[in-house]
Amino acid sequence: MAAVSSMGKMYGLCFHAARQTAGVKASRLLHRRAFRISAVHQQQPFDSSLEKPQFPGASAEFVDHLEFIQPNVISGIPVYRVMDRQGNIINPSQDPQLSKETVLNFYQKMTLLNTMDRILYESQRQGRISFYMTNYGEEGTHIGSAAALEPTDMVFGQYREAGVLMYRGFSLDLFMAQCYANADDLGKGRQMPVHYGCKDLNFVTISSPLATQIPQAAGAAYALKRENLNRAVVCYFGEGAASEGDAHAGFNFSATLECPLIFFCRNNGYAISTPTNEQYRGDGIAARGPGYGMLSIRVDGNDVFAVYNATKEARRRAVAENQPFLIEAMTYRIGHHSTSDDSSAYRSVDEVNYWDKQDHPISRLRHYMTARGWWSEDDERTWRKQSRKTVMEAFERAERRLKPNPELLFTDVYLEMTPGLSKQRDSMWRHVQQYKEHYPLDLYEKQ
Amino acid sequence: MAAAARFFIRGANYRLPVSSVGTGTSGSVGAALLKLSPSCSSRSKTQRRHAAHFTYQPDPVPTQYGETQKMNLFQSITSALDNTLSNDPTAVIFGEDVAFGGVFRCTVGLRDKYGKDRVFNTPLCEQGIVGFGIGAAVAGATAIAEIQFADYIFPAFDQIVNEAAKYRYRSGNLFDCGNLTIRAPWGCVGHGSLYHSQSPEAFFVHCPGIKVVIPRGPMQAKGLLLSCIADRNPCIFFEPKILYRAAVEQVPVESYTIPLSEAEVLQEGSDVTLVAWGTQVHVLREVADMAQEKLGVSCEVIDLRTIQPWDIETVCKSVVKTGRLLVSHEAPVTGGFAAEISSTVQEECFLNLEAPISRVCGYDTPFPHIFEPFYIPDKWKCFEAIKKMINY
C-alpha cells in the first residue's frame, strides 16, 4: 500500500471508506471478506525474520516517521443523491425507474403521514392526547428505506419512523388507537403515544430509552441468519442516539458476529436542542462504520430515491454476505422534537423555513412526478381533501372509543399471572369499588 | 469493562501450577527465590489462606430422573447446556470467553460438539451481550447469555430492567424476550474482594418482569437452569462460584426441570425457620445442627431457590408453625432481599411471631478482600442470632 508516502496528504480513514463505498469491485470485496474470515481463524505462523509487524491485533506496515492521522470533517464522506433539490435526476443510471404506481404510493404515504402528524400534533395541543412527535422533513427516510425492504424483514426503530409502519400498511385507526391508548391499541394502552409496534408487520414495539434497540437488532439479525430464510433486520436511530454506549456495542457485535443487518441513522441535525457539533466532533456517523469494519455510506435523506437505492443494495448484500451496513441519511428535523419542545428556543425560524421550503422530500418527489405528467394540481387537491378526510374519520373514531379495561394493568408482566400480582389486582379492584367516585371508570371498558 | 482483574478462581481443592502463568522465564526462578526468603520457610497459621466457611452438603441421589453421574457444579451447568443445545436447534450460548470453555469451565466441549455458530465469544461488552441476547430471543432463538461475573452485570442493567423485563408488557404481548436466560457466577469465593464476590439479586427483584434463580448445588442447578431456559420469561440465573468445584454430587444425565417459584424445605423443625439461597443454605444447615446440639433448638431450613417471584406461601406456612424467622445472605443487609422477606412475613404472620425477624447478612460496605472472614454472615453469627431469638 502507498499509505506510507501519502500519509501527509491522506484524507484520513474517511476517504478510503468513501472509495470503498462508492463501488467496490466484487473481487476486492471477496478478498476483504476472505481476509476477515481468516482473521477470525488467525494464528498464522510467526516469522520474526520478516520486517512486517506480527501483532495479532492489527495488520499493517511499519512506518518510520511520526504522524497523526487527521480526522477529516471538512470534506468528509460525500452525500449520495439521485435527484437535485428540484427533483431532477442527476445521473440517469441511478434512477431506480420505479413504476408510476410505486412512486405515487411513495408520495401518498409521505403526505398521508404529514397530514396525520398535523392532526395529531394539534390534538395534543387541545389536550386530547397526552404527547406526540411529528416526522416533518424526514418522510423521505422512512418511505425510501421501507420500500427497499421485504415485508418479512424485522424493523427496530427509535421513535421517528412512523412512515415505515405506514408504508407497510399499519392503519390510521391503529396509529390513533395507540396515541389515544384506547381499547383498540395493540399495545393495550401501556405506553405513551408514538410507541407503536406491530407483530404482523414485523415492526418491533418502540421503547423510550434511546439506542437500546441497536444491540438488540444485532441479536435478532444473528438469529435470522441461523434461520436462513432470507430475512434481514433494519435498525433506525438518530445521530444523538448514536452517542450511546449501546450504539457502539451494537455496531461492534454486528460486525464481529457477521449479522445481516442495516443500521439506518437519521442525522437530522438536532437531538432535542443539541446540535450536531455538540454531539460529535468526527465526520458524523458514517465515518464510524469503517472503525468497526463495516461498509458505510452517507445519503441525502431528503431524496427518496437515494435512500431507496442505498437501502436496497445494502439489504441485498447484508443477506448475501452476512455483514452489517451503515447508512447515514442526512436530513433535517423541521418540527419540534415533540409536543413538549419549542424549538424556537434554540434555532432560528429562518433555518427551519429554508428546509421546509427549499429542501423537502415531499416537494422534491412531487416535482419528479409532475415533470413526468404523473401528478397534476387537480390530483393534489383531490388527494389532500381525501387524505384529510380519512385521517379525520379515524381521529373521530379514536376519540369516541373507550380505554382498555384496567385488568390489563396487571397482565403480561410475566407470561403467566403470578399469585402476588393476582393479590395486588384483587386489592386494586376492592379499593376502586369502595372509592369509585374518585376513579374515572366510565372512560374504561367494563369487564 | 473491568477487564483488568479477570483471573482464575482457586476453589478449595484446586491447585494452579505457578509455571503455567507465562513469566518469560522458567517458573523455577520464582520458586527458588521464595525458598530463600525466611518468612516462607515457617508454615505459620497466619500465612495460610483461610479455609472455606461452609461444608457442602450433597443432595441425596435422585432416582426419578434416570441415570446419574458424579458432577460438580460447573459440570452440571455444562450438562444442562449440552441437553439444551441437543434438544433445541435454535439455542445459542454466547458471552466473553465461552468458546474455549469459559473462565469457570461451564461451556467446555460445547463449541466442538455443536458448532461455532452456536457457542461463540462476543466482544467484551456486557450491555452488548444482554442487548444482543434480547434481540436474539425476540427473533425466536433460545438465547443463553453469560456474564463473566455477576459483579459486571451493571453495564447491562438498562437492557435488563428497561428492556428485557418490560418487553412483553409494553408491547401488549406482541413481542417478548422470554427465550432469554442470563447466567452469571455469584457470591463470595474466599478472596474475590469487591468485584468478584457480589450477590446483586436485590437490584433485580425490584424489577417486575424478570425472574431471579439461585441454586444451592449441582443437582439443583441443572434442574433450575433448565427450567429458566424453558420458562417463557427472561431469567437471571446466578451460580455460586465457590461451589463450582467444591460441590459434587450425583446429577441426572438427561434433561429434567425443577419448578421455579417453589422453595424447598430441606429439614423440618419446630422452633425457628431459617431461610437462605445459594451457598448460604449450607451454612444454615450447619447452624441448624449446632442449634440442635448446643441449644436443643429445632430448626426448619428452607432453600428459597427462586428469589423472584418467591414462594411466599412456603415461608409463611413455616413461620406460622415456628414463630421465628432468620434470613441470611452475603449481600449487604440494607435493601437486601432479607428485608423484603421480613416485611412480607411480618404482614402475613404478625401475630404468630415470637421474636423480631432476624437478618444475618453482609455489612453495608463493599465486599472487602482481606476482611472477608469478618464480613461474611458465618455460622457463628447465625448461631448467635438464633440464641437471641430463642431468648427474646
Side-chain angles (χ1 to χ4, degrees), chain B residues 186 199-206 212 214 238 277 307 329 331 337:
Chain B
W186 167 103
S199 311
E201 64 273 13
F203 293 103
F204 297 101
V205 303
H206 188 56
V212 180
I214 306 177
F238 287 125
W277 47 92
I307 317 307
H329 57 63
F337 197 61

Side-chain angles (χ1 to χ4, degrees), chain B residues 80-91 114 118 226 254-255:
Chain B
L81 298 175
D82 195 339
N83 291 149
T84 302
L85 291 167
S86 171
N87 299 330
D88 178 353
T90 73
Y114 295 101
R118 301 187 70 189
L226 286 170
E254 294 301 320
S255 241

